[in-house]
Structure formats: C-alpha cells, structure tokens
Amino acid sequence: MKGCLRGVLGAAVLSLAGVMPAKEAPVFVTGAETISTEQARELFQSQAAFIDVRSREKWQWGHIEGAQHFGLYSTFALLKHPGFISKDQPLVIYGNGSHTMRSALAAHLAASWGYKTVYYYRDGYFSWQAKDLPIAQSEGRSALEASILQSFSE
C-alpha cells in the first residue's frame, strides 16, 4: 500500500509543480474551493467533516476540535476507498498553514477521488488557533482513522 500511496502522491506533486512557488502552498487547487478562517468556522458550525493531514505527532499536540486525522503520508489514501466517508460529505482539508503543501495535495487528491465538495483551508491550524477557535488534543488515532484501519486488518 505504501508504494501505491507514494505513486499517487508523486503524480499529484508533479501535476501541481508547475503552478506553485517552492516555499508556499498554491492559493487555488483544482476541484477544491479555497476558504478563509471565517468560512472554515462557518463550515465547522454546520458540521462539515474536517480532515487534518499533518503528521500524527502534530495532530496529537493540537487540532481543530472534532477533526479526523488522516496523515497525508500515512493513512490519507484510505479515503479513496468507498464507504468510509460519503463522497457527498463536505470535506474541509487542512494542514499547518500556507507554508506547507500537505493540504493542497490532499485537497487535489480528494477531488480527484470523486469527493463532490472539497474545501481547501489553506491558512490551516495555526490561523484557526490564532482566532481562538475550538481546538483539542488527543493521544493515538482519531476515531474514524482507527475504525478504518481496524476494518482493513480484519
């Protein structure tokens, strides 16, 4: 599975490489709508699914309250399989902020896998935290990530 994930991520990097500066995430991602912190807050209040694509360690230190963790380089590729999250469920995908590529790559992949409403929260976790919006800390995996991994191991 790791080889497949690396191939998919490599293709995504190459497809985005021509449109983004080396040290900053793109402002727009094909198939996703770029949103501000205020728009992310409104989506949070309307129960959109928040997907954190940072490393597990960073997710454990702090994440948007209620977010599910699917690390871009670990478990994110599981979302391409049917039945885990409905393709009709709005997804808000975020990372640390505009200085990293993870959320841009993840938003691109989610849109290419058929998710109908993908929001690219480019400003990410640190902007959310700076606005004193709800955050949480957790140990281990998010509930959804754990249940998906459990179903694959059975």
Side-chain angles (χ1 to χ4, degrees):
M1 181 157 104
K2 283 187 179 181
C4 179
L5 177 60
R6 286 189 185 126
V8 169
L9 292 175
V13 168
L14 290 176
S15 71
L16 292 172
V19 296
M20 63 183 137
K23 296 186 181 195
E24 190 172 340
V27 175
F28 303 104
V29 173
T30 302
E33 179 181 340
T34 304
I35 60 170
S36 66
T37 300
E38 181 58 31
Q39 290 168 308
R41 184 187 64 77
E42 291 169 8
L43 288 162
F44 176 81
Q45 292 173 334
S46 69
Q47 306 299 314
F50 278 67
I51 306 294
D52 186 318
V53 296
R54 299 174 302 151
S55 69
R56 182 173 327 287
E57 182 179 55
K58 288 181 181 175
W59 184 78
Q60 289 172 341
W61 289 341
H63 56 271
I64 294 174
E65 186 177 283
Q68 299 296 325
H69 178 257
F70 286 93
L72 181 62
Y73 302 115
S74 58
T75 55
F76 188 76
L78 294 172
L79 295 180
K80 73 179 172 181
H81 299 286
F84 297 120
I85 296 179
S86 167
K87 302 283 184 175
D88 295 322
Q89 170 73 40
L91 298 181
V92 177
I93 298 176
Y94 74 94
N96 279 332
S98 62
H99 61 284
T100 66
M101 292 299 302
R102 286 178 187 241
S103 58
L105 289 171
H108 174 76
L109 288 170
S112 73
W113 294 336
Y115 285 91
K116 295 178 182 165
T117 309
V118 178
Y119 296 102
Y120 166 46
Y121 181 28
R122 182 178 184 263
D123 294 334
Y125 175 72
F126 292 120
S127 290
W128 183 271
Q129 185 182 37
K131 295 281 187 179
D132 202 26
L133 294 167
I135 60 173
Q137 293 179 325
S138 300
E139 292 184 24
R141 301 182 187 282
S142 67
L144 181 59
E145 182 184 29
S147 70
I148 289 173
L149 289 171
Q150 175 73 25
S151 70
F152 269 98
S153 66
E154 294 175 346

